[in-house]
């Protein structure tokens, strides 16, 4: 009887998964999309523990001093594009610490200015900090698709502006595209919560470069960044570093215990930001997929050809990345390299079992591929080469992997797991 029930459950879940796959895009940018494990192709990942001069690496020191800079440079020049250095910090704390959340937290709102023209290039950061503490607090910084007033349920958050796909900058006085986040779940655990809108740094569309921070750095006669210069993801990551510059000046925050969280393209962003700026202690990258933690050499779901097509997200990457659309196997790195560059800091990759487009297995395999680097630091990776089931929380190690049951995005049940992860490793 038990066996039959199991068989029925298996059949139902296979039918559901078949139907879900049937509704997926069969092509993107005119290129076919593969969702069959049998057709992912064979590939060899570049060896993370061999220097470009052929020498093998067996210790953390050589990794940090020699191999890490090599890989970082490659990722910078080929995938995300080089970003400019820091700008002098200038900020206006216009909400200095209002008591909120039934007296359990204070809220701060600050405008951080950057770029040469401070009037246009600035972001509004919203911060909640627990009050019952004598020490500086750890903080989660979320980079968001919506304005701060749309991200949380707090009528006193300043109404911001967001970009439409048509290039209009409009007042964010309507509800946002996504559900709200709840800062109180962090506050009750002694953790601060901060969020800001990614479009404050650079709007997320093809022409965005004209309006965003990258426009400030184009050389005379240049209308687009050069082959190895920053795409929008690098611009957003650069903005995160400017947020960190500010956080370092707030005595109530422990800037050495700041975790980043972002979803989808913002999952790619936090991963790259954490890799690039080692001041970030922890990264939680949700459904980062292609151009994030998913192995590009696996032809499953979105691939480089789809994502870097000029009709899609070419502008999010260094232009050079597009040249690998038809020669992914000659890429001198893959997503396991990106993941490994977080070592030995904690990194959690969160995915969803029906987020086929983002290739959750490709992200798992990147963690498996990066694990030897964590081992150099005597830290644990997933600890298995067997893809876990949805809901399995046993792989949330220093280099951790967690796949919820469901699709693309961050769902309410993910947040308590993130908080546990932060409490364990931050
Ligand atoms: C598209 C894109 C993905 C990206 C996602 C998102 O689906 O192809 O690479 O992660 O948008 O940001 O929501």
């Amino acid at each position: 009887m038990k066996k039959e029930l199991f068989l029925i459950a298996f059949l139902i879940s296979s039918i559901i998964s078949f139907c879900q796959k049937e509704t997926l895009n069969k092509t993107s940018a005119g290129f076919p999309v593969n969702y069959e494990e049998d057709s992912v192709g064979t590939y060899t990942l570049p060896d993370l523990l061999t220097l470009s001069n052929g020498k093998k690496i067996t210790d953390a020191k050589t990794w940090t001093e020699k191999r890490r800079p090599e890989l970082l440079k490659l990722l910078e020049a080929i995938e995300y594009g080089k970003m400019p250095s820091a700008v002098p910090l200038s900020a206006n704390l216009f909400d200095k610490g209002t008591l909120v959340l039934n007296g359990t937290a204070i809220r701060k709102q600050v405008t951080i200015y950057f770029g040469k023209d401070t009037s246009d290039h600035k972001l509004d950061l919203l911060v909640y900090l627990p009050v019952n503490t004598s020490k500086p607090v750890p903080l989660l910084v979320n980079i968001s698709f919506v304005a701060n007033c749309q991200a949380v349920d707090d009528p006193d958050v300043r109404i911001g502006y967001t970009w439409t796909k048509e290039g209009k900058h409009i007042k964010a006085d309507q509800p946002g595209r996504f559900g709200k986040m709840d800062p109180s779940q962090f506050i009750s655990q002694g953790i601060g919560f901060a969020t800001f809108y990614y479009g404050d740094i650079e709007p997320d569309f093809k022409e965005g470069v004209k309006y965003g921070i990258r426009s400030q750095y184009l050389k005379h006669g240049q209308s687009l960044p050069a082959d190895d210069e920053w795409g929008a993801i690098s611009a957003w990551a650069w903005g995160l570093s400017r947020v960190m510059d500010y956080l370092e000046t707030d005595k109530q925050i422990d800037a050495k215990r700041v975790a980043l969280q972002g979803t989808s393209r913002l999952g790619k962003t936090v991963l790259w930001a954490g890799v690039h700026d080692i001041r970030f202690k922890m990264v939680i990258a949700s459904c980062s997929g292609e151009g994030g933690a998913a192995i590009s050499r696996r032809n499953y779901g979105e691939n480089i050809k789809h994502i870097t097509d000029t009709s899609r997200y070419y502008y999010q990457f260094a232009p050079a990345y597009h040249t690998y659309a038809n020669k992914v196997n000659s890429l001198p790195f893959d997503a396991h390299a990106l993941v490994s560059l977080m070592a030995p800091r904690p990194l959690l990759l969160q995915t969803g079992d029906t987020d086929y487009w983002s290739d959750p297995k490709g992200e798992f395999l990147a963690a498996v591929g990066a694990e030897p680097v964590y081992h150099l630091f005597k830290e644990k990776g997933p600890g298995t080469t067997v893809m876990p089931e949805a809901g399995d929380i046993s792989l949330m190690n220093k280099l951790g992997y967690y796949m919820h049951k469901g699709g693309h995005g961050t769902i309410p049940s993910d947040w308590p797991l993130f908080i546990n992860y932060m409490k364990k490793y931050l």
Side-chain angles (χ1 to χ4, degrees):
M1 186 63 185
K2 236 182 171 177
K3 225 173 168 182
E4 275 128 34
L5 278 178
F6 179 77
L7 201 68
I8 292 169
F10 177 75
L11 275 174
I12 294 174
S13 79
S14 308
I15 292 168
I16 292 175
S17 143
F18 176 78
C19 294
Q20 275 163 337
K21 285 194 177 173
E22 277 305 285
T23 61
L24 293 170
N25 287 344
K26 294 280 183 299
T27 63
S28 173
F31 303 111
V33 184
N34 173 53
Y35 295 109
E36 297 308 324
E37 252 332 296
D38 295 351
S39 311
V40 295
T42 51
Y43 58 86
T44 309
L45 291 178
D47 185 1
L48 300 180
L49 298 184
T50 303
L51 283 163
S52 58
N53 66 11
K55 280 205 176 126
K56 295 269 174 230
I57 295 167
T58 51
D59 64 283
K61 190 168 182 283
T62 319
W63 161 266
T64 307
E65 289 173 4
K66 302 243 161 66
R67 184 61 170 150
R68 189 179 194 283
E70 267 183 11
L71 288 169
L72 187 64
K73 244 186 169 164
L74 288 168
L75 279 154
E76 210 164 38
I78 297 174
E79 185 164 0
Y80 301 106
K82 294 180 192 157
M83 9 175 149
S85 43
V87 286
L89 179 73
S90 136
N92 172 26
L93 185 65
F94 62 90
D95 180 1
K96 295 192 165 45
T98 310
L99 207 56
V100 289
L101 301 175
N102 297 320
T104 59
I106 53 166
R107 183 194 60 227
K108 296 187 183 187
Q109 298 186 73
V110 57
T111 304
I112 300 170
Y113 297 91
F114 40 70
K116 294 164 196 155
D117 177 357
T118 52
S119 59
D120 281 349
H121 298 283
K122 55 182 190 258
L123 70 79
D124 274 358
L125 181 73
L126 170 65
V127 185
Y128 294 90
L129 301 176
V131 286
N132 281 335
T133 164
S134 51
K135 287 191 300 193
V137 294
L139 181 77
L140 181 101
V141 175
N142 159 269
I143 175 167
S144 152
F145 289 106
V146 296
N148 296 344
C149 58
Q150 299 169 318
V152 295
D153 207 356
D154 181 344
D156 295 323
V157 172
R158 176 146 103 182
I159 309 282
Y161 284 80
T162 53
W163 292 93
T164 66
K165 286 233 152 42
E166 295 71 43
K168 291 208 176 84
H169 206 202
I170 56 162
K171 213 165 195 184
D173 50 8
Q174 300 297 317
R177 288 195 285 144
F178 298 97
K180 300 196 179 213
M181 290 173 287
D182 175 14
S184 66
Q185 53 187 331
F186 291 89
I187 298 299
S188 63
Q189 299 300 316
I191 300 172
F193 173 82
T195 184
F196 70 93
Y197 171 55
Y198 76 143
D200 280 0
I201 304 164
E202 172 106 356
D204 182 9
F205 46 82
K206 209 171 170 175
E207 305 287 312
V209 60
K210 278 205 269 191
Y211 312 100
I213 187 63
R214 288 186 298 157
S215 67
Q216 297 289 296
Y217 289 86
L218 291 170
K219 289 174 205 89
H220 188 67
Q222 208 186 6
S223 61
L224 288 173
D227 274 5
D228 62 349
E229 286 177 345
W230 52 346
I233 290 175
S234 265
W236 299 323
W238 182 88
L240 278 164
S241 288
R242 304 295 67 82
V243 167
M244 178 52 113
D245 296 345
Y246 169 74
L247 296 175
E248 286 182 328
T249 67
D250 186 328
K251 300 276 170 299
Q252 288 174 300
I253 294 167
D254 184 351
K256 297 210 157 44
R257 288 194 296 157
V258 172
L260 292 179
Q261 192 276 335
T263 305
S264 302
R265 64 200 69 184
L266 298 179
K268 309 183 210 298
T269 301
V270 292
L271 200 40
W272 176 229
V275 159
H276 191 265
D277 188 339
I278 57 169
R279 291 177 299 171
F280 294 112
K281 175 69 194 288
M282 171 187 282
V283 168
I284 301 173
S286 302
C287 298
S288 62
E290 185 62 43
I295 295 288
S296 297
R297 280 169 170 77
R298 264 172 64 81
N299 178 26
Y300 189 101
E302 189 174 30
N303 60 33
I304 299 185
K305 215 189 246 187
H306 305 125
I307 202 168
T308 68
D309 192 80
T310 49
S311 65
R312 298 189 72 252
Y313 300 117
Y314 178 88
Y315 65 89
Q316 292 181 356
F317 298 88
Y321 201 39
H322 181 62
T323 62
Y324 285 85
N326 287 315
K327 49 170 190 179
V328 60
N329 285 311
S330 53
L331 200 59
F333 54 82
D334 209 310
H336 68 319
L338 178 71
V339 168
S340 75
L341 292 183
M342 271 300 292
R345 291 167 295 152
L347 167 63
L348 178 62
L349 303 175
Q350 175 250 304
T351 66
D353 69 340
T354 57
D355 186 9
Y356 306 112
W357 178 240
S358 303
D359 189 12
K361 185 166 179 188
E363 289 201 31
F364 172 68
L365 293 176
V368 170
E371 187 162 20
V373 176
Y374 273 74
H375 284 169
L376 289 179
F377 294 90
K378 313 235 172 325
E379 297 292 356
K380 264 169 109 175
T384 173
T385 53
V386 180
M387 177 73 182
E389 297 284 321
D392 182 348
I393 55 166
S394 68
L395 272 50
M396 293 173 70
N397 297 322
K398 253 296 172 64
L399 167 54
Y401 181 89
Y402 170 70
M403 179 168 68
H404 64 217
K405 195 152 191 51
H408 190 64
T410 306
I411 58 176
S413 58
D414 295 330
W415 292 103
L417 295 174
F418 296 167
I419 291 169
N420 283 344
Y421 190 73
M422 290 178 74
K423 284 172 74 179
K424 189 161 175 194
Y425 292 117
L426 205 56

